[in-house]
Each structure stands twice: as structure tokens, then as C-alpha cells.
Amino acid sequence: MSETTGASYAAAGVDIKAGDRAVELMKEWVKKTRRPEVLGGLGGFAGLFDASALKRYERPLLASATDGVGTKVDLARRLGVYDTIGHDLVAMVMDDIVVCGAEPLFMTDYICVGKVHPERVAAIVKGIAEGCVLAGCALVGGETAEHPGLLGEDDFDVAGAGTGVVEADRLLGPDRIREGDAVIALAASGLHSNGYSLVRHVLLDRAGLSLDAHIEDFGRTLGEELLEPTKIYSLDCLALTRTTEVHAFSHITGGGLAANLARVIPDTLHAVVDRSTWTPAPVFDLVGRSGDVERLELEKTLNMGVGMIAVVPQESADAALTTLADRGVDAWVAGEITARGEHTTGAALVGEHA
């Protein structure tokens, strides 16, 4: 009997058995994210979430968002560290959802690889699952796709989509903001997951720094600093809405603080943020010095040390800061809402950093 010489999926580079093993390895982590509303287990064609849980709402509004992690995944690949990038993914999705006051409910992920390495895929999912726990949401499903010939064997990318819910009369946003409101800044954990094309170009290509290099100002290696996971603020923001009045949140991602804050400011008002109220972490200064990057370019690309903004009534500022301090979140009053003048826009940074 002659041997089979025809083409096969495996010969084309797709290893179904490796994919099956990856699923088995990730199951224990996905299970940790389970909420009471989740039905079934991992392996179905669709994740199931019992929507009858929303009956307690008078008028439930579903909020959805999708995002990825960007070129930060390249640093994870170079360093061989795969169990933190999932935190970044959850933060990028669920911290967008919580901005309108919505409670995160569930999330799905998409992992695209050049070759399935089961332990590596499981590590990525582990990070996503840990992030979901921190955000209070369930990971109800996902997809791992193997793209040989399109991606290198060690290349990968991640993306995700999430859903949350908010009561219609508790929806946060521009219509709630009033002149005199306080602008509260919540500290970032680092660079988060934006601007890494600039960061990689400046630090690795232009300055020629090694990811293994120990940086005195960081107290750790450059690679460890750059892979610091994005802070997940979802539960902290929800805690604020329960303990004090909140008018709006703004997630500080691509575009920087001023541009993202402007997205939640009504046309008649202006947000003024005082740079002197905080000092950005050393990594921001390193990027600026290494690439001779102008301050305005840094500020429109990176978060500069502020990962989330809460806009609250002036009389609620102290209570908001107390709630955040009790939760271990570094926060401060960074500015205020004023009337918009003839030459002002949605938000502006003033002063110099401390």
C-alpha cells in the first residue's frame, strides 16, 4: 500500500493537536473568571451569559468595546514573557467600558499566532483571565488562530471585545459635567499600552538600549519596566460611583491626556489640568531624552503618568480621594472644569511638572 503524499493541513503548518492541547491548558484559568450568569464551559461555539440577570435594571444599556495591545506584544515576544500582556488587553477593553459607568460583564479574546505553542498560548490566556478577575468580568470564550506563512513561528497578536451594562439614568458623560467640577487624576502603572511604536523606536532603535539593561531610575531592567501591565481601573471606578457622585470618567490611552479628556467635555466647558500637581515616572523622561522628543509630542502620544480621569463635583473631591486611597489607588486633584472661552478647546494642560 503506497504512502499518502497529498497535501494536508498539518503539512501546511497548522497543528490541530497543539491547538487542542492549548485549550486544555487554558481551561483552569478561564474557570477562575466565571460569574453566576455564565452558562456552559469552554469549548462551545459561543459563550453564553444569562441575560435574565439584567431584569433588576429599569432600563439596562449595554456597553461594548473592542481593542488590542498594539506593538507592546513585540516586547513580550522578545523577552519571552507571555503572562502579563493579557492584563493590558483587559484594561484596554474594560476600562473603556467603565467610562460610561457600566459594570463589565463578559469578554472574549482573539489570539493570532504563527505557530501554536500550547504553553505560550495558555500563558497569554492566563494573563487575560487574571485581568478579567481584576475587572470583575467573565471570560466566556475566544479564538486561537494559527497563521503559518503569514506570521513567523514566534509572532503573535491579541485582541478582545467586551460587554458591560449600566442603568440608563446612571449613564455618565458630558451632559453631567458642570462648571467648577474637580478633575481627579488616577495614577498610571507605567506606559500602559499606547505609544509603543514611538517607545520602541526611541529606546531600542535610536538609543540602542538593551531590554536586559538595568536602569537605576527604574530599579529593574528596561524590559521589566516596558512590560509593566496596564492598570485595570474598572472596579475602582465602580467603587467611586457607589460612594460619591461622579459626572464622567476618561480613559487615558492613545492621544494622551488632553485629547482623551476632551472627549467627555461638553462644548460649552473646558477642562484645565495643572501639570505641577504630579511628576511623571522616570520612564517618560527617558523616552523624551533618548529621542529628543518634544514635550507636546510626548503628551499627545503617552499617558504621562495618568491612566484615568474622574470628573466629580468639587464638594465630592475629598470623598472620591478617600475611596481611591482606601483601594490603594494613587490619585489627586489635577484640575477643574471652567467655562469655555473664545480660544479654548475641550481640555488643556497648563504649568510645568513638579
Side-chain angles (χ1 to χ4, degrees):
M1 185 173 180
S2 62
E3 294 184 2
T4 300
T5 58
S8 68
Y9 213 15
V14 177
D15 190 340
I16 294 176
K17 289 183 178 180
D20 291 341
R21 172 163 168 71
V23 171
E24 287 301 314
L25 291 174
M26 68 178 71
K27 280 184 176 179
E28 65 171 297
W29 298 107
V30 175
K31 189 181 299 183
K32 295 178 186 294
T33 75
R34 192 176 182 89
R35 289 175 50 127
E37 305 93 338
V38 176
L39 302 178
L42 193 65
F45 284 93
L48 298 175
F49 190 91
D50 186 357
S52 67
L54 305 184
K55 288 182 179 179
R56 69 179 186 269
Y57 290 84
E58 289 290 325
R59 185 187 169 202
L61 302 180
L62 294 180
S64 66
T66 185
D67 210 337
V69 179
T71 60
K72 189 172 184 176
V73 298
D74 178 60
L75 299 179
R77 178 189 62 79
R78 293 194 197 193
L79 291 165
V81 177
Y82 301 99
D83 62 353
T84 62
I85 209 75
H87 286 233
D88 298 286
L89 180 63
V90 175
M92 290 298 99
V93 174
M94 288 307 181
D95 284 347
D96 275 358
I97 284 176
V98 81
V99 161
C100 67
E103 174 193 356
L105 294 177
F106 57 85
M107 183 168 174
T108 57
D109 64 66
Y110 176 77
I111 303 171
C112 181
V113 300
K115 180 178 176 58
V116 172
H117 300 281
E119 290 76 15
R120 186 177 301 175
V121 172
I124 295 171
V125 174
K126 170 180 177 286
I128 297 172
E130 290 173 340
C132 285
V133 170
L134 293 174
C137 66
L139 182 60
V140 297
E143 172 72 11
T144 300
E146 194 170 22
H147 289 178
L150 183 62
L151 298 175
E153 286 196 2
D154 291 327
D155 293 337
F156 75 99
D157 199 7
V158 296
T163 299
V165 62
V166 60
E167 189 69 74
D169 64 6
R170 296 183 64 82
L171 183 69
L172 304 181
D175 61 314
R176 290 182 178 264
I177 295 180
R178 299 290 182 265
E179 184 176 351
D181 281 354
V183 175
I184 294 179
L186 282 64
S189 55
L191 292 168
H192 284 187
S193 299
N194 303 102
Y196 272 78
S197 292
L198 173 66
V199 171
R200 289 162 53 248
H201 170 68
V202 166
L203 299 183
L204 305 183
D205 299 336
R206 182 164 175 166
L209 297 177
S210 168
L211 292 173
D212 295 327
H214 181 82
I215 306 297
E216 193 66 32
D217 285 344
F218 302 163
R220 54 182 174 177
T221 68
L222 176 63
E224 290 170 332
E225 177 70 23
L226 297 185
L227 271 194
E228 179 66 35
T230 304
K231 168 73 174 173
I232 298 174
Y233 300 95
S234 303
L235 296 183
D236 302 314
C237 291
L238 292 178
L240 271 186
T241 65
R242 291 192 297 267
T243 59
T244 191
E245 184 177 353
V246 177
H247 288 167
F249 290 115
S250 177
H251 188 197
I252 311 306
T253 57
L257 199 162
N260 281 284
L261 181 53
R263 295 168 64 181
V264 300
I265 304 300
D267 292 340
T268 58
L269 298 176
H270 176 65
V272 179
V273 176
D274 186 353
R275 295 183 183 94
S276 69
T277 59
W278 83 97
T279 302
V283 66
F284 298 100
D285 181 60
L286 179 65
V287 174
R289 286 188 291 104
S290 299
D292 195 23
V293 184
E294 294 182 359
R295 183 179 69 185
L296 291 180
E297 181 66 21
L298 281 178
E299 290 181 345
K300 74 178 186 181
T301 306
L302 307 176
N303 67 59
M304 297 305 291
V306 177
M308 183 72 78
I309 289 286
V311 180
V312 306
Q314 194 68 238
E315 62 271 19
S316 298
D318 288 344
L321 292 176
T322 296
T323 294
L324 292 169
D326 289 345
R327 297 183 60 82
V329 179
D330 183 18
W332 62 95
V333 175
E336 65 175 337
I337 303 299
T338 65
R340 185 176 297 198
E342 183 180 351
H343 301 293
T344 56
T345 56
L349 306 182
V350 299
E352 299 293 332
H353 283 298

